[in-house]
Amino acid sequence: METRTRSEKAEKILSSFSYDRESCVEEKVFSEGIWMFWSSSEVEIEILSTNWQFIHVVVKCNSGQEWLLSTVYASPEEKSYVKNYENILS
């Protein structure tokens, strides 16, 4: 998982590892989005919900095990993080 990174940098990261899948939550203002990388030979990712400050997914392992993963970029600005928590709870 990489937060606040430029698209070009994320593309370099993706090409330097053996990940063959990715998902990006779009950028907004000073936040440069959330990028998620994974290898489809090891896990399947089902994206449940995204926002410019979070991504919620179900991770399905080859072993059959499933679990929830929520990644949050918490803004240091009170107005932003209050709204973010409202979005997460809805």
Side-chain angles (χ1 to χ4, degrees), residues 54-57 68-72:
F54 66 80
I55 183 168
H56 299 297
V57 301
L68 296 172
L69 171 67
S70 297
T71 301
V72 178

Side-chain angles (χ1 to χ4, degrees), residues 1 3 34 53-56 70-75 84-85 88:
M1 196 72 61
T3 62
I34 300 172
Q53 286 189 303
F54 66 80
I55 183 168
H56 299 297
S70 297
T71 301
V72 178
Y73 167 71
S75 172
N84 191 28
Y85 289 118
I88 290 170

Side-chain angles (χ1 to χ4, degrees), residues 1-59:
M1 196 72 61
E2 178 74 25
T3 62
R4 295 186 51 119
T5 185
R6 294 183 184 272
S7 298
E8 292 174 10
K9 182 179 177 187
E11 291 296 334
K12 284 184 180 181
I13 292 169
L14 180 59
S15 65
S16 68
F17 293 106
S18 60
Y19 304 124
D20 62 344
R21 298 287 190 267
E22 54 87 19
S23 179
C24 177
V25 177
E26 293 299 318
E27 311 171 352
K28 184 174 181 181
V29 192
F30 296 111
S31 172
E32 296 183 19
I34 300 172
W35 282 73
M36 183 174 173
F37 304 103
W38 68 94
S39 176
S40 63
S41 64
E42 297 184 27
V43 295
E44 179 183 331
I45 300 294
E46 177 185 346
I47 298 172
L48 301 176
S49 179
T50 63
N51 176 294
W52 70 278
Q53 286 189 303
F54 66 80
I55 183 168
H56 299 297
V57 301
V58 174
V59 179

